[in-house]
Amino acid sequence: MKDNKILQLINVAWRERWTDSQWGINIKKVLPRGVSGDVYNLADCLLQQAVIGSTANSLVLNYLKHSLCAHFVSHAAVLRCIAKYDKLGRVYCVTALLEFLVSIIDGITCRTKSEEALLPAAVVQLVLWIMQIFASTLQQYEMRGELSAELSYMLDQSCLLVEHLTQQQFVLAMLNVGCHEEVESLDRLHDLYANIKASLTNSNFTLSAATAEQQLKQLAYIDAKHLDLQMLNPSPSLEKISCCVQPLLAVEVLLNPCKDTSYYVAELQMLQRLKGYTNTRLFYEIIRAGFLTLSNVADTSPDTMWGAFMFFKMPHIIKQLHALQRVPGEQQLAATDYIPELVEALELLIEDNLLLDFMDTKCSCNIIEFLLNDWTKQQLVNDVHVKKFASQREAASQLLKKCDNGQQTPSNINFIKRAEVPLSGVLKTLCTNKMQDMLKVLCQVPVGNSFELILSVATVEGRLKTFVSRLIQCNENSKQVPGELGKQCITRSTLFDVSFLMLSSIVQTYGSDVVLPDRGDSFFEKWVRECMMERNKLKNPRQILALCDDSIVDELLLSLSKPEAAQLKPNNLTWQDICLNLPGVLHHVLIAWEQETLSSADVKSILDNMKRRLFSFSVCATSYLCAYMYSVRETELLKPLNMIQQFLAPLTTEELSSQENSKERLALSYQIIRKMQHDVHPAPNTKSRLISHTPLIEQFRECWRIVSDAGHLPVRAAQTLESLLLAGGASWLVTQLVEQLLSCKYMRDMAKCMDIVFAVMHLDIERSTEALLQYVVAPLILRRQGDDINEPQSLVLARLSVYCIISCLETRSSTSAAAAAFKKRSRSHDDDEMTGVAKVRKVVGDGSDNSNDFADGSAANVAALLNAPSAELRVTPLNLKEPLQASIKHIFRVFVQFVSGDELSPKAVFVYQFISLLVECGGERVTPVLRLLPPNLMQQLLKVLATDDIRVGLISRLYDLRLHAGRQSAVADLCLWRNMQLARNSIHL
């Protein structure tokens, strides 16, 4: 009924030549108050009358335009009606419709929820219609070889309309949503564009607008990445020197020296994405980071570990990064004997004369030549490059040698490469069953720093677990055989002793969870699991005693208390039985000593007899005593401490000469015992990173002063910060780090500080991110609003938060999710500065993940990487895990409060910066995070943030457009943004 009235009104208006105002007054009489003309197909009725003939009725089109301005009809309805017009042969009608669209396209919007549901599909249909015009017109040109003036003008108008469409970000955003809604239409768009491109190519036709073809491609292959987004993350070109790679590697090598190459590659890929680095820039930063760290470490175990990392692990990291850079499906380039990006990186590095001069002096050689000579074997560079770069450094190296006057001291770096051969020799010898050969080789390993060098190389090459497994097998094969006498028995006992001590030292350094399998059944693995006292892995002394056999304990007590029992008959007890039952002996000795049944001299005699037999007995005894000390009051520590000190008493020359290779084994046992004792009860005058009378805040400030002066993160500073994390907790350390960040006055200093803080938080990224989001950010923003939480501090704080979320979010594709508990990572730097835990006995963690044992630079692994379907070593989980999910939910709830008012404030600006950086830096990887966005957060932020900062690219990336709810939310936010833009800019149609 209403349709007939509307048609009659249109006919009357046309006959009487009503003005637009007259039309508006009269149509109101037909339409009920508050009801849209879309309900009665007003737009359809007007359009049918407008193009009923061979030419368009301009008067009726004006009525349609007025109806749009007066909101009688929606843009969605008008676009949908135009897109349904299929008489493309009526050139004048089509041209008029194109001109009409050009006039209204800049004002397209939505006013109601019903319109929002229709607009995306309407825009898709409109673009399809335009594509059909292009395709049919070009097809006619192909057939006839020319176009009439009318067709040519129509094509020009089509180009003009396409230009307007691609300039309207709101329309493009709606097209993007619509393409996700109507997948079949998207396929048709692709087909039409392909036909258009083929016609243009075949006919050599040139469109009037030079960019028209590119704009058509943009419409056909619309993506959220093409939409406008204000970038807040700084461009890498503005960052001349990076401060993020070195601190991150310093932390990771400190915590995870046993990790395989892919672990470091994944970490560096994450950093590369965040910073936008090219491979050239990344390779430069990696090599520079290695030199910077080596320049600040002494010739101790950290030096050997970092040297081994640089010379053994780094080439494989670079090779894998280069292999992963290739796009899947892309044709592989011809094989070369060098990596071009690495050569470019070296050209950048060679300009850093100050750093290279220092490294040449420290290492007593031309460090570039020393490094590249090895890299030629791995086809990272070739001989031409080595000669080129070595010659560029030759003059400086010679001058430095003259300045030193020949007083250069050899550096461990010069011996690191040589340690690879002994390691291979040891592994090869351990495969044999020749006890004499194994004894000869193993007793040479603890001499000097050879053991440290071999362990460092084994660690970074991924051969540590192989080394340990073969040592365990050696220890198993050398267990005492009842009835065996003579030289064979002595050889077996020495081999058992040295292998036991080396294994104990390795477990103490790296942690049993890193180097031992979960349920090994060898004697040593059982002893470690049940009896060995490890840092942060306490043992119950009662459970240790429960493993003892009373009869064996009684026999041991009897033999050890007699002076003549120093030479125990081999038939009585095996060494492995003694190791497991010594805790029972010590328990009885302690009780007797407390009750004064035994004198101090008797106790000393028993302990000396114990130590003289095998040095591993001292280690087993000390392990029980340390567990015992944890369970008693402080007033009861004196006697077990004195017993441990007795094990550390030096042996006489005669006692040392009575056993083969006793000096090296004794030194190794002393080292193990001291470390065990220090973990439980450090000496009062011991200079430790954790045990100190200085308040934590002062220790932190002193450490951070060293970091600030250095401009990077020295290894010792990283160790200190790890201890402060253990002592003060994640919330305390993160608070101090953020305070240092906000205290920076200059942008350059702030950016450098943020990179170092981000790296330091990787000491425990999960807990640090939780602390940052739950306990640090919100209080800082609320407490110091308008103080120093303003530009640029708020932007840097938002960037730090987002970086941490992305790093915490990504998981290794080859491993399960990390445990939520605090990971006690392994280190190899605790000889002279062991971290005591007496102050934080309750802070106990579990072991870190096991590393993969393989030569990760092998050709097979590189080939596997090249053929991998994805160039990523980390994948984003579908669902977030705790504590990250709870932390993000918490910060989003805080954000809702921040934007709940009506005023623009630094709080609201921070919310925008956080969300924008999350989208910009995370891309599709943060989809699980964005799913947790509260429903009305963006709408409220749009209302509060009355600026041009928020753009359609941000809104379109916030939601999962594959889901109906995501599309609905995106359209609602886009329409609100559009209407606010129109109101702010006072656009009149």
Side-chain angles (χ1 to χ4, degrees), residues 215-509:
Q215 290 165 347
L216 285 169
K217 183 179 180 181
Q218 183 182 350
L219 293 175
Y221 292 91
I222 188 67
D223 190 87
K225 296 175 183 177
H226 302 147
L227 301 176
D228 193 17
L229 174 69
Q230 182 167 340
M231 298 297 180
L232 299 181
N233 206 31
S235 169
S237 61
L238 301 175
E239 194 180 52
K240 300 301 180 185
I241 295 178
S242 170
C243 296
C244 59
V245 177
Q246 185 278 331
L248 188 63
L249 284 178
V251 168
E252 291 297 345
V253 174
L254 171 72
L255 296 181
N256 302 301
C258 299
K259 291 292 186 182
D260 56 30
T261 302
S262 62
Y263 176 86
Y264 294 99
V265 170
E267 198 83 358
L268 290 166
Q269 273 193 319
M270 178 267 296
L271 201 59
Q272 185 178 23
R273 286 191 299 270
L274 289 176
K275 291 288 188 177
Y277 290 157
T278 61
N279 262 14
T280 297
R281 176 68 184 273
L282 184 63
F283 294 163
Y284 163 72
E285 295 293 350
I286 291 171
I287 303 169
R288 181 174 171 272
F291 284 152
L292 270 177
T293 309
L294 280 177
S295 69
N296 277 281
V297 290
D299 283 339
T300 53
S301 53
D303 194 3
T304 61
M305 181 60 69
W306 256 99
F309 178 84
M310 180 134 193
F311 293 110
F312 292 105
K313 182 78 77 177
M314 192 177 289
H316 300 315
I317 291 174
I318 291 173
K319 189 174 286 188
Q320 281 198 20
L321 283 168
H322 174 67
L324 290 168
Q325 193 67 16
R326 186 171 66 86
V327 179
E330 186 182 70
Q331 186 176 0
Q332 189 171 353
L333 298 176
T336 59
D337 59 351
Y338 70 97
I339 297 176
E341 297 98 326
L342 179 58
V343 174
E344 293 169 6
L346 290 168
E347 288 173 352
L348 294 174
L349 182 70
I350 208 75
E351 297 175 6
D352 196 342
N353 292 317
L354 190 62
L355 177 61
L356 295 178
D357 287 350
F358 187 87
M359 288 304 302
D360 285 356
T361 305
K362 181 180 176 68
C363 302
S364 308
C365 64
N366 184 335
I367 190 65
I368 287 290
E369 186 176 13
F370 183 81
L371 183 72
L372 298 188
N373 275 332
D374 182 62
W375 286 8
T376 54
K377 303 169 188 174
Q378 304 180 57
Q379 295 190 332
L380 298 177
V381 294
N382 59 31
D383 293 331
V384 175
H385 301 126
V386 177
K387 291 177 183 177
K388 173 188 173 183
F389 293 122
S391 64
Q392 287 180 271
R393 291 291 307 159
E394 184 63 30
S397 295
Q398 292 299 327
L399 184 62
L400 290 169
K401 286 181 182 179
K402 290 180 181 178
C403 293
D404 284 341
N405 296 322
Q407 297 180 0
Q408 294 174 334
T409 56
S411 169
N412 271 343
I413 294 174
N414 297 297
F415 301 105
I416 287 169
K417 287 297 295 179
R418 302 177 196 173
E420 188 178 21
V421 176
L423 171 63
S424 301
V426 170
L427 292 175
K428 185 177 180 180
T429 304
L430 287 173
C431 288
T432 68
N433 293 321
K434 299 177 181 178
M435 285 197 175
Q436 198 63 43
D437 292 348
M438 288 192 287
L439 181 63
K440 184 178 180 181
V441 169
L442 289 184
C443 286
Q444 291 300 314
V445 170
V447 177
N449 63 351
S450 298
F451 193 32
E452 285 179 2
L453 286 169
I454 287 174
L455 284 182
S456 297
V457 174
T459 299
V460 299
E461 284 196 333
R463 294 198 279 177
L464 181 63
K465 288 177 71 176
T466 303
F467 184 34
V468 169
S469 65
R470 292 183 184 176
L471 276 176
I472 290 174
Q473 190 60 46
C474 172
N475 184 259
E476 279 291 291
N477 294 337
S478 58
K479 288 194 300 188
Q480 187 170 7
V481 177
E484 188 178 51
L485 298 170
K487 186 176 181 181
Q488 184 72 10
C489 180
I490 296 172
T491 301
R492 189 182 294 275
S493 68
T494 308
L495 192 58
F496 176 89
D497 197 33
V498 71
S499 59
F500 187 95
L501 292 172
M502 289 173 70
L503 284 167
S504 299
S505 178
I506 292 171
V507 168
Q508 207 173 40
T509 300

Side-chain angles (χ1 to χ4, degrees), residues 1-58:
M1 187 69 180
K2 286 284 182 185
D3 290 358
N4 292 334
K5 286 187 177 181
I6 290 172
L7 289 172
Q8 290 173 8
L9 190 65
I10 294 172
N11 289 329
V12 171
W14 178 71
R15 283 199 308 268
E16 298 180 3
R17 300 298 190 268
W18 286 352
T19 62
D20 297 345
S21 301
Q22 287 177 301
W23 163 257
I25 293 168
N26 286 286
I27 192 64
K28 285 182 181 179
K29 297 175 183 178
V30 176
L31 297 175
R33 176 181 286 274
V35 177
S36 170
D38 292 350
V39 177
Y40 304 107
N41 298 317
L42 176 58
D44 201 16
C45 294
L46 284 168
L47 199 64
Q48 285 180 24
Q49 295 301 314
V51 292
I52 200 168
S54 59
T55 58
N57 189 324
S58 59

Side-chain angles (χ1 to χ4, degrees), residues 378-675:
Q378 304 180 57
Q379 295 190 332
L380 298 177
V381 294
N382 59 31
D383 293 331
V384 175
H385 301 126
V386 177
K387 291 177 183 177
K388 173 188 173 183
F389 293 122
S391 64
Q392 287 180 271
R393 291 291 307 159
E394 184 63 30
S397 295
Q398 292 299 327
L399 184 62
L400 290 169
K401 286 181 182 179
K402 290 180 181 178
C403 293
D404 284 341
N405 296 322
Q407 297 180 0
Q408 294 174 334
T409 56
S411 169
N412 271 343
I413 294 174
N414 297 297
F415 301 105
I416 287 169
K417 287 297 295 179
R418 302 177 196 173
E420 188 178 21
V421 176
L423 171 63
S424 301
V426 170
L427 292 175
K428 185 177 180 180
T429 304
L430 287 173
C431 288
T432 68
N433 293 321
K434 299 177 181 178
M435 285 197 175
Q436 198 63 43
D437 292 348
M438 288 192 287
L439 181 63
K440 184 178 180 181
V441 169
L442 289 184
C443 286
Q444 291 300 314
V445 170
V447 177
N449 63 351
S450 298
F451 193 32
E452 285 179 2
L453 286 169
I454 287 174
L455 284 182
S456 297
V457 174
T459 299
V460 299
E461 284 196 333
R463 294 198 279 177
L464 181 63
K465 288 177 71 176
T466 303
F467 184 34
V468 169
S469 65
R470 292 183 184 176
L471 276 176
I472 290 174
Q473 190 60 46
C474 172
N475 184 259
E476 279 291 291
N477 294 337
S478 58
K479 288 194 300 188
Q480 187 170 7
V481 177
E484 188 178 51
L485 298 170
K487 186 176 181 181
Q488 184 72 10
C489 180
I490 296 172
T491 301
R492 189 182 294 275
S493 68
T494 308
L495 192 58
F496 176 89
D497 197 33
V498 71
S499 59
F500 187 95
L501 292 172
M502 289 173 70
L503 284 167
S504 299
S505 178
I506 292 171
V507 168
Q508 207 173 40
T509 300
Y510 294 93
S512 58
D513 293 329
V514 174
V515 296
L516 299 180
D518 291 337
R519 291 188 175 86
D521 57 357
S522 67
F523 158 71
F524 179 77
E525 289 167 294
K526 179 183 176 183
W527 178 79
V528 169
R529 206 163 41 240
E530 305 291 345
C531 305
M532 184 174 178
M533 188 69 179
E534 292 184 72
R535 179 172 174 255
N536 285 346
K537 293 193 76 173
L538 308 183
K539 295 291 192 301
N540 188 333
R542 293 184 180 180
Q543 291 180 356
I544 297 176
L545 291 174
L547 300 172
C548 297
D549 186 314
D550 291 340
S551 61
I552 296 178
V553 170
D554 292 340
E555 188 176 347
L556 269 174
L557 269 171
L558 183 63
S559 64
L560 290 170
S561 59
K562 294 180 180 179
E564 64 273 13
Q567 300 296 329
L568 185 65
K569 294 182 180 180
N571 291 331
N572 291 347
L573 294 172
T574 62
W575 307 312
Q576 53 270 25
D577 287 337
I578 296 175
C579 289
L580 292 173
N581 286 278
L582 278 175
V585 174
L586 293 168
H587 177 69
H588 286 292
V589 170
L590 277 168
I591 293 175
W593 196 10
E594 288 284 352
Q595 296 174 353
E596 298 184 355
T597 306
L598 285 176
S599 65
S600 298
D602 295 334
V603 174
K604 178 178 180 298
S605 175
I606 291 172
L607 298 178
D608 286 345
N609 287 334
M610 196 182 297
K611 181 170 70 172
R612 288 190 192 103
R613 297 180 181 181
L614 289 180
F615 299 121
S616 50
F617 292 167
S618 304
V619 172
C620 296
T622 302
S623 182
Y624 168 74
L625 291 171
C626 289
Y628 173 79
M629 288 165 65
Y630 253 109
S631 64
V632 299
R633 295 187 296 272
E634 192 170 351
T635 55
E636 300 175 9
L637 293 177
L638 184 59
K639 282 184 168 57
L641 271 175
N642 285 334
M643 295 172 79
I644 292 174
Q645 288 303 311
Q646 186 59 37
F647 288 131
L648 293 172
L651 294 178
T652 63
T653 307
E654 294 178 0
E655 290 172 327
L656 285 173
S657 60
S658 64
Q659 297 187 42
E660 292 184 7
N661 305 108
S662 57
K663 187 176 180 181
E664 291 79 15
R665 288 184 286 136
L666 181 65
L668 191 54
S669 70
Y670 283 171
Q671 179 183 322
I672 297 167
I673 291 169
R674 286 194 186 100
K675 191 177 288 187

